[in-house]
């Protein structure tokens, strides 16, 4: 029996940030969504109304947003570095 290895296709040539960037962005999105679910669950367990968060919840949301932005920027910069390295060869 022969086995095949299937990899995601990467478009030839230069790609934009909206193009193929590997598994980084879906991972950041999944982690952000899990963090948001955890934050809303934590807020509910403390008896806080969803539309009237307290300072602790807003601080957690700010940390989550900052981590998401940092993750997206990191993935896009890593993609630009690898794209630049492949173009210079």
């Amino acid at each position: 029996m022969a086995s095949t290895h299937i990899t995601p296709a990467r478009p030839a040539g230069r790609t934009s940030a909206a193009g193929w960037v590997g598994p980084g962005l879906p991972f950041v999105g999944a982690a952000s969504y899990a963090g948001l679910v955890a934050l809303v669950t934590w807020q509910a367990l403390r008896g806080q109304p969803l539309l009237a968060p307290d300072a602790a919840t807003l601080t957690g949301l700010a940390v989550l947003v900052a981590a998401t932005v940092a993750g997206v920027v990191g993935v896009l910069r890593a993609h630009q570095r690898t794209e630049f390295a492949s173009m210079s060869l």
Side-chain angles (χ1 to χ4, degrees):
M1 295 232 130
S3 66
T4 60
H5 181 70
I6 299 173
T7 59
R10 180 175 181 186
R14 189 176 179 100
T15 58
S16 67
W20 188 90
V21 291
L25 285 181
F27 178 77
V28 171
S32 299
Y33 183 74
L36 183 63
V37 169
L39 184 69
V40 171
T41 301
W42 178 57
Q43 183 181 5
L45 289 173
R46 293 182 301 118
Q48 298 292 321
L50 182 63
L51 299 178
D54 61 348
T57 304
L58 290 175
T59 302
L61 181 61
V63 169
L64 179 63
V65 168
T68 301
V69 169
V72 168
V73 168
V75 166
L76 293 179
R77 282 191 180 169
H79 174 65
Q80 286 176 345
R81 272 187 259 125
T82 57
E83 184 177 279
F84 179 73
S86 67
M87 287 178 56
S88 64
L89 292 176

